Amino acid sequence: MALRRRTQAPKPRISKSNDLLPAKAGTPDDYDDVSCEECGSGKSPEDLLLCDKCDRGFHLYCLRPILVSVPKGAWFCPACSDHKKPKPFPLVQTKIIDFFRIQRSSELIQKQNQVAYSQKKRKRSGSLVMSKKRRKLLPFYPSEDPERRLQQMRSLATALTASGTDYSNKLTYQKGTAPRSANNASLEKEGMQVLSKEDIETLKLCKSMMDRGECPPLMVVFDPLEGFTVEADKFIKDLTIITEYTGDVDYLKNRENDDGDSMMTLLSAADPAQSLVICPDKRGNIARFINGINNHTIDGRKKQNLKCVRFDVNGESRVLLISNRDIAKGERLYYDYNGYENEYPTEHFV
C-alpha cells in the first residue's frame, strides 16, 4: 500500500505523537517497553505509533489501512477511534459539477472540437517513408454512460473530501512556495523526456475532456488494507494517459521534513536548492490515490500497470501517469514510486 512519497527528502524520524515532541527527540529508548498490539513485536521502534488515548503501540505497517508516517496532531488507534468508512459524496449532478468546476461554455466545446479535429487530421496524413515509428501516447476514453461518469467523479470527490483535499487538475503555485518560474525543465540533471508536439495535443485533449466532465474511466474505492485506491472502470489500452500528477509545487528543501504521504518529484536539479516536488495534500486530483507496488517481490512487480514519467512540456516539467500495458476493467492501478531512484523502501506495499 501506502508509502506514496517519491522524492529525495529523508524520511522523518518518529517521535511519540502524544507528547508532541519534535521528531529528533524520539529515540529507541523511548520504546523499550512498547510492543505492537497487532504483531506483538517491539522491533522497528522507529515505526511504532502510540495511541493518544490508550497509549498502546502499533507499527505503522501493521495498521489497516497502513500508515506512512506519524499523523499530524493527535492519533487514536482503531479501538479508541470512532473512524468509519468515509461518507459518500452526494450523487447529485449539480453538486458534482460545482465540486469539479466543470465548464460547459460553447467556447470551451468549440476549442475541444478543434483539438479533436486536428488530431484526426494528423492521423490521416501519413508518410510513405518506411521507418520505425515512435509509439504515441493515447488519450483516455471516458465511459459512455453519463450516469457512470457521475459515479466515478463521486468516488473521487468522496476521497478528496475525506482527505481534506481541494480538487485541482493542474500544478499550482502558492504564495511562499516555489514560483512558476522555478519550474524550468532545463535545470533537470538526469535529463527528462521531451513530450512531442503530438503528445502535447493529446494531453490537452485529456485536460479539455476533464474540463467538461468527461473524466478518465476510473473508480476510487476504499479498501481496509490499502485505504483509498483506484480501479479501472473499463478496459484501458497500453500507452494511455491516465492522469497528470498535480498539486502545489514547492522547493524540496522546504519539504524535507514534511510528513505528507504523497509527495512526488517534479524536478531533480543539478543544484539541490532548485529541486522541486509536487505536494497534493491540500490540492490534487486522482493521482494521489493511485498506490505503489512492492517492487521487492515478483508478484508485486506483476501488479505494476502504470509508469510514472517526468516530461519536458514546452520548457516546464510535468509528471504523467501512463499505462504500460493493457489494463482490464476492475484491475487496480499500481506503479513503482521509486522509479529509477530506488530511494524508498517498499517492502510493506501490497
Side-chain angles (χ1 to χ4, degrees):
M1 178 255 174
L3 183 59
R4 295 192 178 92
R5 187 193 314 239
R6 204 199 105 212
T7 73
Q8 295 178 356
K11 183 179 178 181
R13 286 169 291 187
I14 307 301
S15 64
K16 289 186 178 181
S17 62
N18 58 336
D19 55 18
L20 299 179
L21 293 174
K24 64 181 180 181
T27 65
D29 293 339
D30 295 333
Y31 301 95
D32 284 346
D33 59 346
V34 178
S35 296
C36 175
E37 295 294 318
E38 296 295 331
C39 69
S41 170
K43 295 181 179 180
S44 302
E46 69 278 5
D47 289 322
L48 275 171
L49 175 62
L50 300 185
C51 175
D52 283 287
K53 185 173 182 180
C54 68
D55 212 33
R56 293 186 298 171
F58 297 82
H59 283 124
L60 299 175
Y61 49 80
C62 287
L63 290 165
R64 297 294 181 267
I66 297 170
L67 289 183
V68 177
S69 59
V70 173
K72 293 179 181 178
W75 176 82
F76 301 100
C77 70
C80 296
S81 172
D82 57 357
H83 176 73
K84 298 179 182 179
K85 188 175 180 180
K87 183 179 179 180
F89 191 84
L91 188 57
V92 179
Q93 185 176 23
T94 54
K95 287 183 178 294
I96 292 175
I97 288 174
D98 289 342
F99 186 92
F100 291 102
R101 300 184 293 278
I102 294 172
Q103 303 175 31
R104 294 186 180 276
S105 69
S106 58
E107 181 181 350
L108 175 65
I109 295 174
Q110 182 180 4
K111 181 179 178 182
Q112 292 161 350
N113 290 338
Q114 288 173 349
V115 172
Y117 174 76
S118 64
Q119 285 201 329
K120 291 179 181 178
K121 188 175 180 181
R122 277 198 306 273
K123 289 179 180 178
R124 289 195 292 266
S125 58
S127 171
L128 296 178
V129 178
M130 299 297 293
S131 62
K132 184 176 180 181
K133 293 184 178 179
R134 185 189 64 82
R135 300 180 74 193
K136 303 173 206 174
L137 299 183
L138 303 175
F140 63 79
Y141 289 94
S143 298
E144 293 79 8
D145 183 3
E147 289 300 318
R148 191 61 181 175
R149 293 202 299 268
L150 281 177
Q151 292 175 0
Q152 293 162 358
M153 289 187 284
R154 178 201 196 189
S155 73
L156 174 55
T158 297
L160 290 169
T161 302
S163 61
T165 306
D166 291 333
Y167 173 73
S168 175
N169 201 36
K170 61 183 180 180
L171 295 178
T172 46
Y173 301 85
Q174 303 300 315
K175 185 177 180 180
T177 62
R180 183 164 187 169
S181 59
N183 186 1
N184 184 345
S186 65
L187 299 175
E188 173 66 29
K189 68 177 180 181
E190 302 291 346
M192 65 178 62
Q193 298 183 43
V194 177
L195 197 63
S196 70
K197 290 183 179 180
E198 189 169 24
D199 287 343
I200 289 176
E201 290 303 311
T202 300
L203 177 60
K204 288 180 179 178
L205 175 60
C206 291
K207 292 281 191 178
S208 64
M209 285 192 291
M210 294 188 69
D211 285 343
R212 67 173 182 249
E214 296 180 2
C215 57
L218 307 172
M219 194 73 74
V220 184
V221 297
F222 186 80
D223 180 270
L225 174 63
E226 300 184 53
F228 287 112
T229 186
V230 180
E231 296 179 351
D233 203 35
K234 65 180 292 187
F235 174 77
I236 298 175
K237 295 179 67 173
D238 182 22
L239 285 182
T240 295
I241 296 177
I242 301 297
T243 186
E244 179 179 357
Y245 209 100
T246 66
D248 293 337
V249 176
D250 201 1
Y251 290 109
L252 172 62
K253 62 185 179 182
N254 294 341
R255 302 284 181 150
E256 287 183 337
N257 295 312
D258 194 304
D259 66 356
D261 65 355
S262 302
M263 281 201 301
M264 171 63 66
T265 299
L266 176 63
L267 182 66
S268 182
D271 178 1
Q274 296 177 310
S275 293
L276 300 175
V277 291
I278 304 171
C279 308
D281 51 331
K282 294 181 179 179
R283 279 160 286 274
N285 63 3
I286 199 168
R288 70 161 296 177
F289 302 112
I290 298 176
N291 286 339
I293 48 92
N294 183 338
N295 56 16
H296 293 269
T297 66
I298 295 176
D299 289 340
R301 289 190 292 271
K302 285 181 179 178
K303 290 182 179 180
Q304 184 175 349
N305 48 23
L306 301 183
K307 57 184 177 181
C308 176
V309 189
R310 290 183 296 141
F311 285 104
D312 176 342
V313 182
N314 295 327
E316 182 180 65
S317 179
R318 308 269 286 274
V319 180
L320 303 183
L321 298 182
I322 301 166
S323 58
N324 63 5
R325 59 173 172 79
D326 290 347
I327 303 174
K329 179 180 178 180
E331 188 176 345
R332 289 194 176 173
L333 305 186
Y334 296 98
Y335 68 100
D336 187 351
Y337 277 91
N338 276 308
Y340 66 87
E341 296 159 338
N342 294 316
E343 293 178 338
Y344 291 93
T346 62
E347 290 89 343
H348 302 308
F349 286 23
V350 296

